[in-house]
Amino acid sequence: MCLGVPGRVVDVAGSLATVDFWGVRRQVRLDIVDQPVSPGDYILNHVGFAIRRIPSEEIEETLALYEILLREAGADDLMLADMKSEIDATGPGTEDGR
Amino acid sequence: MAGDLPNSASELRFRDTEKARALAEALSRLTREVGHAPVSVMHVCGSHEQAIARFGLRSAFPTDLDVIMGPGCPVCITDLPEVDEAVALAAKGVIIATYGDMVRVPGTVKSLADAQADGAHVEIVYSVAQAIDLARESSQEVVFFATGFETTAVATAAVLLADPPPNFSVLSAHKYIPPVMEIVAEMPETRIEGFLAAGHAATITGWGVFEPFVERHGIPVVVAGFEPLDILAGLVKLVELIRDQKADVVNMFPRCVTHEGNLRAQEQLWKLFRPVGGRWRGIAHVPNGNLRLRDEWAALDARKRFDIDVSSLWDYAPPALSQACICGDIMAGIASPHDCRLFGRECLPENPVGACMVSSEGTCKIWHLYGGHPDLAEVGS
């Protein structure tokens, strides 16, 4: 539950950002994040809120854990389930969001 | 020989096998150099335990290093009377919205799932924002049964500050991690020599929050991330501090954690909540360990808005099996799931006796799924 999940910001409108999580576009709230967020930035989403803007030089390292989970984890994997519920915690996607 | 590098460390699926091997070697050497065995350290985060178990990290730890999961599962430490309050409210006819695992956690007599079976309206949400949506779409009262540590409490604070609908209120069971570390450090049965602090909670609070603890208790704290290499690197630093008898706070997760943390989030958190003492299930009374709404937000506080009568739920004795549950000792680091006679027998994920088998962050559920010391052949397969 405290794992959070990183995503790439594609659009910002007020206190809401449209964020791409491995091809799934969802809405994340920006009420808590303490740095300005613009399209192209990566944020860490926890229960539907960005809690941190990830510095650009750290993105690859941050994504690594999640990519391992997506690649290798079985359907009943607890960490993959956590990751999916973090994405489900965001608002429904806009545009072509699935 | 104790402390030797397990041959299998290189077989683990690390992103960088060479780096992992070097870290595992350093961990072995440093543990040996501490000069006593075992060296016991504690982490306080379900996500850390998931990563340690899932990636089979304990196979790469020296045998003389005990890495114990403490009270890091927010669902598990939610106390029985707090669940009772939610059950009593649900029975009153308000809609209870809560995070998924909370529904099956037993209260004194009933869980929210039991209340649901009795006809109560309980909704699972992944975010407090979804509970707000639920309230906007309903004419009924919606109470968000709020659980989780500071990382999650900041989201609850944010929605309450963003003009929630009038039929929305919060039953806060939010908990604050730093005070419970003091309690565990002072328990005579646990000989914890260092803490591995959870990176994402520290993203909010900053690593500076641990400085007073380190000063008072003389026990080092290392903030670590969740990737297997992050955890190994965090442990290497922690055991090095123990060897050198240096009570410092070291931040090994700088890509997410700063000294002062997320000030904007903290401002919202402390505007809404105040720390009060309260029981953590199975652990102890934890001074300042519970986050409750401040008096000026009484209108949003379900405890103030409703007359919650939990005593009506206390007519029955708790079932015998749950009295045998040692969840509390496991969370305090005194026992492991293998010490429990119910683990894997009467107590299973599909039919849990204690909260540690309910939550995906509970030690028992994690060990049941991955094993505490999993067979390496299965890791990452």
Side-chain angles (χ1 to χ4, degrees):
Chain A
M1 187 180 195
C2 284
L3 192 58
V5 65
R8 184 175 52 85
V9 176
V10 289
D11 187 38
V12 176
S15 64
L16 275 180
T18 303
V19 177
D20 181 287
F21 299 97
W22 290 274
V24 180
R25 286 189 175 189
R26 305 278 297 183
Q27 288 203 316
V28 173
R29 289 179 60 157
L30 302 174
D31 312 44
I32 300 170
V33 68
D34 59 348
Q35 294 141 313
V37 167
S38 25
D41 286 341
Y42 275 76
I43 53 93
L44 185 70
N45 158 61
H46 175 56
V47 293
F49 289 75
I51 58 169
R52 168 114 176 125
R53 188 185 76 195
I54 304 165
S56 53
E57 66 276 15
E58 311 280 9
I59 291 164
E60 201 185 331
E61 218 169 333
T62 305
L63 291 176
L65 170 65
Y66 301 89
E67 309 218 310
I68 293 171
L69 291 174
L70 283 174
R71 204 168 51 235
E72 297 182 351
D76 60 346
D77 190 274
L78 295 178
M79 295 188 88
L80 186 66
D82 246 22
M83 185 179 161
K84 286 184 169 159
S85 50
E86 288 283 23
I87 296 175
D88 287 337
T90 56
T94 51
E95 308 163 38
D96 58 338
R98 275 163 278 178
Chain B
M1 188 185 92
D4 268 1
L5 172 69
N7 296 327
S8 46
S10 62
E11 295 161 22
L12 294 175
R13 296 207 173 180
F14 288 105
R15 276 186 299 128
D16 182 338
T17 315
E18 279 313 300
K19 200 168 168 189
R21 173 176 282 277
L23 285 168
E25 275 170 2
L27 191 58
S28 250
R29 177 175 51 78
L30 289 162
T31 303
R32 213 161 41 234
E33 288 170 3
V34 170
H36 64 253
V39 176
S40 299
V41 300
M42 179 176 275
H43 70 79
V44 277
C45 177
S47 299
H48 269 157
E49 187 60 30
Q50 287 177 350
I52 288 169
R54 189 196 181 282
F55 292 96
L57 285 186
R58 283 200 176 83
S59 318
F61 297 162
T63 48
D64 282 345
L65 178 66
D66 278 346
V67 180
I68 301 161
M69 174 170 173
C73 162
V75 171
C76 308
I77 45 84
T78 302
D79 203 16
L80 296 165
E82 292 173 315
V83 176
D84 292 346
E85 286 177 297
V87 169
L89 273 173
K92 256 179 143 56
V94 307
I95 300 173
I96 297 285
T98 193
Y99 295 122
D101 284 343
M102 283 315 298
V103 173
R104 292 173 68 211
V105 173
T108 307
V109 181
K110 285 182 181 177
S111 65
L112 281 170
D114 297 330
Q116 207 171 13
D118 295 343
H121 190 161
V122 179
E123 291 277 344
I124 291 177
V125 292
Y126 295 100
S127 166
V128 61
Q130 292 166 351
I132 291 277
D133 293 343
L134 199 66
R136 288 200 204 284
E137 290 157 13
S138 173
S139 54
Q140 280 176 272
E141 286 284 333
V142 173
V143 172
F144 179 61
F145 183 29
T147 60
F149 298 123
E150 47 271 32
T151 336
T152 313
V154 292
T156 307
V159 300
L160 291 181
L161 287 169
D163 198 17
N167 58 336
F168 181 83
S169 58
V170 165
L171 176 67
S172 173
H174 282 307
K175 302 277 187 282
Y176 187 49
I177 280 278
V180 82
M181 289 167 58
E182 313 246 357
I183 295 295
V184 175
E186 285 167 12
M187 283 182 175
E189 310 92 318
T190 47
R191 294 201 187 82
I192 301 303
E193 296 164 78
F195 278 95
L196 199 68
H200 290 162
T203 299
I204 302 295
T205 58
W207 60 265
V209 79
F210 301 115
E211 287 172 328
F213 167 83
V214 161
E215 208 164 290
R216 269 199 291 278
H217 296 274
I219 294 175
V221 174
V222 169
V223 178
F226 301 96
E227 210 263 344
L229 286 176
D230 289 336
I231 294 175
L232 268 183
L235 286 170
V236 165
K237 177 49 80 178
L238 186 59
V239 175
E240 184 189 299
L241 291 169
I242 293 169
R243 181 200 64 179
D244 298 342
Q245 300 186 337
K246 273 173 85 173
D248 282 343
V249 188
V250 175
N251 177 21
M252 294 293 282
F253 197 36
R255 69 175 180 263
C256 264
V257 180
T258 60
H259 180 261
E260 70 279 7
N262 181 335
L263 293 174
R264 187 178 176 207
Q266 287 170 37
E267 192 188 316
Q268 295 174 63
L269 179 69
W270 299 122
K271 189 168 179 181
L272 262 296
F273 293 103
R274 69 193 165 93
V276 301
R279 274 199 69 79
W280 288 33
R281 184 193 298 236
I283 304 277
H285 178 91
V286 180
N288 297 321
N290 286 0
L291 298 175
R292 294 288 186 263
L293 287 175
R294 291 182 182 278
D295 290 342
E296 53 268 43
W297 303 96
L300 299 170
D301 189 343
R303 289 190 178 90
K304 305 274 166 59
R305 190 184 292 206
F306 302 98
D307 177 24
I308 308 176
D309 177 21
V310 290
S311 61
S312 63
L313 295 168
W314 295 346
D315 298 345
Y316 318 94
L321 271 187
S322 63
Q323 287 176 326
C325 169
I326 61 165
C327 208
D329 286 351
I330 292 170
M331 287 188 290
I334 302 165
S336 94
H338 293 309
D339 298 322
C340 180
R341 66 177 177 83
L342 305 177
F343 178 70
R345 298 186 184 92
E346 286 96 334
C347 185
L348 294 160
E350 54 275 22
N351 190 21
V353 175
C356 296
M357 189 61 96
V358 175
S359 172
S360 61
E361 292 177 278
T363 317
C364 296
K365 180 149 180 195
I366 295 170
W367 283 40
H368 191 266
L369 186 62
Y370 299 124
H373 300 81
D375 178 357
L376 275 177
E378 293 174 12
V379 172
S381 62

